C-alpha cells in the first residue's frame, strides 16, 4: 500500500510539473510602440513601413514622431490608414504647401491669368523698402493639417491619449532650447511646431512660446513612448549622411542630423528594433519623389519582417486602440476676429460662413480659412476655439500683409528682345481691399499705366478696375506674306471695368474703353488714316477648368471678348468686334496629352487699324510675327504633347515636347471688294517647361509655303493690366 501511494505521489508531482511547464510556455501578450524620425521628405518612407506592418498583422498600440515623422504619426493616430496617407501625401503639391503663395487651384481664374508676373518682389511700408525674414510661414500646411486632423482632435477632447492611437510629437523651445513633448491640445499646433525647420520655416507660436522643429533636440523620439510602457518598440530612422545638398532644406536637415547624433544613439538603445529605410539615393528635399520614398520604406520593412517576428517570438500582440466615435458639435456662441490693423472687419466677415447659432462644422471652418487666405490680404490666418459649457467661441486670428509692393518681372523672346516690367503698388486702401499701383514696361512694348483695382464694389462682390495708360508698340506690315516695313503705334487711353467671378473657374467683365491711336506710318502707304480714336463698351467672359494655363494636361477653356466702337471724330461708321476661343485637353496615362483649339474672330463694318486681329508667331507656327493683320479669321490647332521628364525632379516643372499643327482661313465669310480670302497651314515642333522664373518655350515652325520660323520665349509676358 505504501509503495502504491509513493508511486501515485511521484506521478502527481510529475504531472503537476509538466502542467506548470506548459503554463510557462504561454507567453504574456505584448503591446508595440513605433517611433518615427524626422528627415523632411525622407520621412515619407515611414508610410511604407506602416503599410507592411498592417499587411503582416503587427498591430501598433502607440506612436510618436518628430518633424515629418510627426505628420505621418499624427495622421495614423487620428485614424488614417497607411493607404489613405499614401494617397494624400504622395499626391499633394509639397512645393505649393511650402510656399507662401496662394496655391493656383485655390485662386480665381482672373488671378491665375495674372500668373507670377514678378520675378522679384520686395515689400514696402509707405514706400520704405522692407526686407522680410525670408522664412516661410507654412500657412498652406496649417490649412491642410486643419482639414485632416482638427475634427479627430476635437473628438478626442484634445487629449492625445484619447485619439484612436495614443500619440506624441516633439518640438523645441527656440528661446530655452528645451524639448517639448506634446500630449494634449491642438494637433495642428503640435505638428506645425514639430516641422518648423529653423531658418526655413517660421517658428510656431503655441501658448506664448516660439517652437521649432523637434529634430533640433530629439530627431528619433523613442523616449516619449516609454510612459506607455510598451513591451516592444520599433524605431524607424531615415536620417542619412549625404554630402549632396540641393537647397537649404538639405543643408539644415543634415546639420540637425550632425548636432543630434549623440541623442539619436541614446534613443536607438531604448528601441527593441531599429529600421533604417534605404533612402540613400534621395535628398531631404525630394518631395517630388514621394511615391518612390514610400516604396523604399515598404521594401525595407519587408526585408526586416522575419527578424522582427523572430524577436517577437510567440508573444501574442495586443491592439490597444481607443474606440472611434464622433462627438456632438457645440453651438457657436460668437465669431470673433483678432489682429486687424487696416482691414475693415465688415470686409472680413463677408468671407466667413461660420455663424453664431449654428453647430460647429470643421469643414466650414477650413473653408473659411481658405477664403481668408485667398483674399491675399493676410500673411497668416489661423483660428482657435474657446469652449464654455455646450457652446464655443470661434476666434479667427489674422496677420495682415505689408500691403506695399515693389515688383520686377523679366521677359524675353527673339522677335522683340527683352522686356522688363517694374511695378509699385499700395494695397488695401482704407481697409477695403482696393489696390492702387503704377507699372511700366521697358522694352517691347513700352508701357506706362496707373490704376485702381478692387475685389468689392460697395457691399456687392464685384471686382473693378480703373486705369489710364500710354503705350508705344511696334507693328509689322506684310503684303501677301512679304514684309514691307515696321511702324510704331502710340496709344493713350483709359478704361473702367466691372466684373464678377463665377466661382474659381470663370468670370465676366463689362467695361468701357477709350483709346487714341497714332500710327507712325511711312509716306509710301499714301493717304491712309494715321490717327484713330476707339471708344465704346467692352465685354469679356471666360470659363476654364484647365489644370495649368501654361502647360495644360486636361480640362476645357472657353473665352469670349467683344468691343463695340461708337461713332466719333475719326470713325463715321462705328464697328463691332468679337472673338471666341475654345480648347479641350485630354490626358492619356501620365505622359501623353492631346489638345485641340478652335478660334474665330470677326469685325463687322470697317475695323480701325488698331483693332485688326494680328496673327502669327506663336499663334501660327511657320508664320512671322503679325504676318496676318485681318478683320476676320478662323483657326484650328492640334497639339500632341509628351512629358519627357520633370525639371529638377519637380512635378511642377514638366519638360514637354509638342507636335503642333495649325490651319487658318482669313476673311472666309465677310470679304470686302479689296479683301481677298487667304488660307494658311503650318506645323512645328515645340519644347517647353515651367521654371522658377516662369515658363520657358521654343518653337520651330514650317508653313505650307516652306517658310521657316523660330521663336523662343522666357518668363511671363508683360501684362498690360495692373
Amino acid at each position: 500500500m505504501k509503495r502504491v501511494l509513493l508511486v501515485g505521489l511521484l506521478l502527481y508531482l510529475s504531472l503537476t510539473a509538466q502542467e506548470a511547464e506548459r503554463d510557462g510556455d504561454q507567453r504574456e501578450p505584448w503591446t508595440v510602440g513605433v517611433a518615427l524620425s524626422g528627415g523632411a521628405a525622407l520621412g515619407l518612407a515611414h508610410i511604407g513601413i506602416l503599410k507592411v506592418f498592417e499587411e503582416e498583422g503587427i498591430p501598433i498600440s502607440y506612436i510618436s514622431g518628430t518633424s515629418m515623422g510627426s505628420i505621418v504619426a499624427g495622421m495614423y493616430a487620428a485614424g488614417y490608414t497607411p493607404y489613405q496617407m499614401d494617397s494624400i501625401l504622395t499626391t499633394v503639391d509639397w512645393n505649393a504647401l511650402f510656399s507662401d503663395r496662394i496655391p493656383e487651384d485655390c485662386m480665381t481664374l482672373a488671378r491665375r491669368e495674372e500668373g507670377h508676373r514678378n520675378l522679384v518682389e520686395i515689400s514696402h511700408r509707405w514706400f520704405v523698402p522692407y526686407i522680410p525674414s525670408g522664412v516661410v510661414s507654412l500657412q498652406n500646411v496649417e490649412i491642410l493639417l486643419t482639414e485632416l486632423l482638427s475634427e479627430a482632435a476635437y473628438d478626442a477632447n484634445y487629449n492625445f491619449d484619447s485619439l484612436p492611437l495614443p500619440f506624441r510629437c516633439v518640438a523645441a523651445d527656440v528661446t530655452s532650447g528645451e524639448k517639448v513633448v506634446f500630449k494634449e491640445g491642438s494637433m495642428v499646433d503640435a505638428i506645425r511646431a514639430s516641422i518648423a525647420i529653423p531658418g526655413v520655416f517660421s517658428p510656431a507660436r503655441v501658448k506664448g512660446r516660439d517652437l521649432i522643429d523637434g529634430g533640433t533636440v530629439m530627431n528619433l523620439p523613442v523616449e516619449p513612448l516609454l510612459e506607455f510602457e510598451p513591451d516592444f518598440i520599433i524605431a524607424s530612422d531615415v536620417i542619412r549622411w549625404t554630402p549632396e545638398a540641393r537647397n537649404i532644406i538639405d543643408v539644415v536637415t543634415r546639420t540637425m542630423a550632425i548636432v543630434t547624433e549623440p541623442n539619436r544613439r541614446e534613443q536607438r538603445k531604448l528601441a527593441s528594433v531599429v529600421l533604417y529605410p534605404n533612402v540613400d539615393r534621395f535628398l531631404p528635399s525630394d518631395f517630388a519623389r514621394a511615391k518612390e520614398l514610400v516604396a523604399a520604406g515598404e521594401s525595407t520593412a519587408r526585408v526586416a519582417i522575419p527578424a522582427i517576428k523572430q524577436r517577437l517570438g510567440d508573444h501574442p500582440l495586443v491592439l490597444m486602440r481607443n474606440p472611434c466615435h464622433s462627438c456632438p458639435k457645440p453651438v457657436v456662441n460668437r465669431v470673433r476676429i483678432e489682429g486687424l490693423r487696416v482691414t475693415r472687419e465688415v470686409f472680413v466677415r463677408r468671407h466667413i460662413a461660420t455663424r453664431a447659432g449654428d453647430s460647429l462644422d470643421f469643414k466650414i471652418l477650413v473653408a473659411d480659412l481658405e477664403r481668408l487666405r485667398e483674399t491675399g490680404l493676410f500673411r497668416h490666418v489661423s483660428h482657435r476655439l474657446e469652449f464654455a459649457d455646450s457652446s464655443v467661441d470661434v476666434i479667427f486670428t489674422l496677420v495682415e500683409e505689408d500691403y506695399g509692393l515693389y515688383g520686377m518681372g523679366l521677359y524675353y523672346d527673339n522677335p522683340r528682345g527683352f522686356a522688363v516690367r517694374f511695378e509699385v503698388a499700395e494695397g488695401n486702401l482704407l481697409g477695403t481691399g482696393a489696390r492702387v499701383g503704377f507699372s511700366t514696361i521697358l522694352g517691347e512694348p513700352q508701357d506706362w499705366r496707373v490704376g485702381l483695382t478692387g475685389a468689392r464694389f460697395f457691399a456687392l462682390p464685384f471686382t473693378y478696375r480703373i486705369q489710364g495708360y500710354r503705350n508705344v508698340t511696334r507693328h509689322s506690315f506684310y503684303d501677301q506674306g512679304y514684309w514691307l516695313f515696321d511702324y510704331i503705334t502710340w496709344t493713350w487711353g483709359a478704361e473702367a471695368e466691372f466684373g464678377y467671378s463665377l466661382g474659381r473657374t470663370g468670370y465676366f467683365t463689362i467695361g468701357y474703353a477709350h483709346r487714341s491711336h497714332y500710327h507712325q506710318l511711312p509716306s509710301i502707304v499714301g493717304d491712309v488714316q494715321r490717327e484713330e480714336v476707339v471708344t465704346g463698351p467692352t465685354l469679356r467672359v471666360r470659363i476654364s477648368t484647365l489644370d495649368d494655363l501654361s502647360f495644360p494636361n486636361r480640362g476645357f477653356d472657353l473665352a469670349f471678348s467683344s468691343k463695340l466702337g461708337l461713332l466719333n471724330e475719326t470713325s463715321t461708321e462705328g464697328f463691332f468686334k468679337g472673338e471666341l476661343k475654345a480648347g479641350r485637353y485630354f490626358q492619356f496615362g501620365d505622359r501623353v496629352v492631346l489638345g485641340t483649339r478652335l478660334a474665330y474672330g470677326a469685325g463687322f463694318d470697317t475695323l480701325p487699324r488698331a483693332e485688326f486681329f494680328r496673327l502669327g508667331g506663336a499663334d501660327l507656327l511657320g508664320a512671322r510675327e503679325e504676318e496676318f493683320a485681318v478683320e476676320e479669321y478662323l483657326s484650328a490647332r492640334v497639339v500632341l504633347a509628351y512629358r519627357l521628364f520633370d525639371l529638377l525632379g519637380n512635378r511642377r516643372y514638366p519638360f514637354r515636347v509638342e507636335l503642333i499643327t495649325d490651319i487658318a482661313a482669313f476673311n472666309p465669310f465677310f470679304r470686302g471688294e479689296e479683301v481677298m480670302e487667304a488660307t494658311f497651314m503650318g506645323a512645328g515642333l515645340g519644347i517647353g517647361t515651367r521654371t522658377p522664373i516662369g515658363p520657358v518655350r521654343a518653337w520651330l515652325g514650317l508653313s505650307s509655303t516652306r517658310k521657316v520660323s523660330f521663336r523662343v520665349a522666357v518668363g511671363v509676358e508683360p501684362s498690360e493690366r495692373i
Side-chain angles (χ1 to χ4, degrees), residues 107-122:
M107 293 183 183
T108 62
L109 178 59
R111 293 187 66 181
R112 290 180 66 197
E113 284 182 337
E114 294 179 3
H116 303 318
R117 59 188 181 185
N118 288 327
L119 180 61
V120 178
E121 291 186 350
I122 299 176

Side-chain angles (χ1 to χ4, degrees), residues 172-243:
D173 189 307
V174 72
T175 302
S176 65
E178 295 176 346
K179 173 186 65 181
V180 178
V181 179
F182 284 95
K183 304 179 181 181
E184 60 184 8
S186 166
M187 290 186 73
V188 175
D189 289 346
I191 295 175
R192 164 65 178 85
S194 186
I195 65 175
I197 300 175
V200 181
F201 305 129
S202 61
R205 187 77 173 172
V206 182
K207 295 183 178 179
R209 305 174 72 180
D210 290 324
L211 305 180
I212 59 174
D213 195 311
T216 58
V217 291
M218 182 180 285
N219 219 338
L220 186 63
V222 178
E223 183 181 329
L225 292 175
L226 299 182
E227 68 173 285
F228 300 116
E229 299 183 355
D231 300 288
F232 196 84
I233 296 178
I234 303 172
S236 177
D237 189 356
V238 298
I239 291 295
R240 292 293 178 273
W241 303 96
T242 55

Side-chain angles (χ1 to χ4, degrees), residues 306-382:
I308 292 175
K309 288 186 174 180
Q310 184 178 10
R311 291 288 306 275
L312 289 170
D314 297 329
H315 288 280
L317 300 179
V318 178
L319 178 62
M320 303 289 290
R321 291 287 178 95
N322 296 316
C324 297
H325 59 275
S326 180
C327 294
K329 303 301 185 291
V331 173
V332 176
N333 179 40
R334 287 186 300 170
V335 176
R336 291 156 41 198
I337 299 170
E338 297 179 349
L340 296 182
R341 295 181 294 107
V342 177
T343 310
R344 295 184 179 183
E345 184 171 322
V346 65
F347 175 81
V348 174
R349 288 192 178 275
R350 293 192 185 106
H351 294 83
I352 297 175
T354 300
R355 296 284 186 267
D358 295 343
S359 295
L360 180 64
D361 189 318
F362 286 98
K363 292 181 180 179
I364 295 177
L365 189 59
V366 170
D368 291 340
L369 294 172
E370 289 178 339
R371 281 191 296 271
L372 290 171
R373 172 63 168 152
E374 290 162 16
T375 64
L377 298 177
F378 307 108
R379 184 184 307 123
H380 187 260
V381 301
S382 60

Side-chain angles (χ1 to χ4, degrees), residues 27 49 74 85 105 134 193 249 257 264 298 318 326 414 539 554 654:
R27 304 293 184 96
I49 298 284
M85 288 191 287
D105 58 357
I249 291 180
R264 284 168 52 231
E298 287 187 58
V318 178
S326 180
N414 54 318
L539 170 68
R554 55 189 174 275

Side-chain angles (χ1 to χ4, degrees), residues 260-335:
T260 61
E261 175 59 22
N263 180 266
R264 284 168 52 231
R265 282 198 296 265
E266 295 300 319
Q267 295 301 307
R268 293 190 202 109
K269 294 176 183 178
L270 300 176
S272 308
V273 171
V274 180
L275 301 182
Y276 300 94
N278 184 13
V279 293
D280 293 342
R281 66 185 190 278
F282 302 98
L283 293 174
S285 60
D286 276 335
F287 289 95
R289 303 175 68 184
K291 287 187 177 295
E292 297 175 64
L293 283 161
V294 173
E298 287 187 58
S299 60
T300 298
R302 294 190 195 285
V303 172
I305 281 295
I308 292 175
K309 288 186 174 180
Q310 184 178 10
R311 291 288 306 275
L312 289 170
D314 297 329
H315 288 280
L317 300 179
V318 178
L319 178 62
M320 303 289 290
R321 291 287 178 95
N322 296 316
C324 297
H325 59 275
S326 180
C327 294
K329 303 301 185 291
V331 173
V332 176
N333 179 40
R334 287 186 300 170
V335 176

Side-chain angles (χ1 to χ4, degrees), residues 470-684:
R470 181 190 180 196
N471 183 280
V472 182
T473 307
R474 178 174 57 86
H475 294 297
S476 297
F477 188 94
Y478 285 84
D479 184 22
Q480 301 297 320
Y482 294 97
W483 175 85
L484 296 183
F485 54 81
D486 288 342
Y487 66 95
I488 301 296
T489 297
W490 299 74
T491 302
W492 294 262
E495 56 189 71
E497 193 174 66
F498 294 87
Y500 187 79
S501 290
L502 307 172
R504 292 176 179 170
T505 59
Y507 66 82
F508 73 83
T509 64
I510 300 173
Y512 191 94
H514 179 88
R515 298 178 181 177
S516 176
H517 304 278
Y518 176 75
H519 306 293
Q520 194 172 347
L521 294 165
S523 59
I524 60 173
V525 300
D527 188 19
V528 175
Q529 187 172 6
R530 288 171 168 79
E531 293 187 14
E532 294 177 326
V533 174
V534 178
T535 184
T538 62
L539 170 68
R540 293 190 302 125
V541 180
R542 186 176 184 186
I543 298 174
S544 178
T545 62
L546 297 180
D547 60 335
D548 189 306
L549 297 183
S550 300
F551 296 93
N553 298 302
R554 55 189 174 275
F556 76 91
D557 187 55
L558 181 66
F560 173 76
S561 62
S562 66
K563 180 179 295 184
L564 178 63
L566 303 179
L567 301 179
N568 59 72
E569 62 270 23
T570 65
S571 175
T572 58
E573 297 182 359
F575 68 90
F576 176 79
K577 173 185 177 182
E579 188 174 29
L580 178 66
K581 296 179 179 180
R584 186 75 169 91
Y585 290 82
F586 307 88
Q587 186 170 15
F588 301 93
D590 192 41
R591 294 183 179 271
V592 179
V593 174
L594 175 65
T596 59
R597 189 188 70 185
L598 293 173
Y600 176 71
F604 299 87
D605 295 322
T606 301
L607 285 183
R609 179 176 298 276
E611 296 297 330
F612 282 2
F613 299 102
R614 290 180 166 83
L615 306 175
D619 293 319
L620 299 175
L621 293 193
R624 304 293 195 271
E625 293 288 319
E626 298 191 354
E627 182 172 336
F628 301 98
V630 297
E631 295 186 70
E632 183 194 15
Y633 79 94
L634 176 65
S635 69
R637 167 172 284 189
V638 178
V639 179
L640 182 63
Y642 183 81
R643 181 173 63 85
L644 293 176
F645 58 88
D646 295 325
L647 191 67
L648 304 176
N650 189 331
R651 292 191 66 86
R652 284 173 54 85
Y653 306 141
F655 188 93
R656 305 202 320 188
V657 58
E658 300 175 339
L659 294 175
I660 305 169
T661 301
D662 286 320
I663 302 174
F666 308 107
N667 307 309
F669 305 117
F670 304 100
R671 299 193 300 275
E673 295 180 359
E674 299 180 358
V675 179
M676 299 299 293
E677 180 181 4
T679 59
F680 172 86
M681 293 185 63

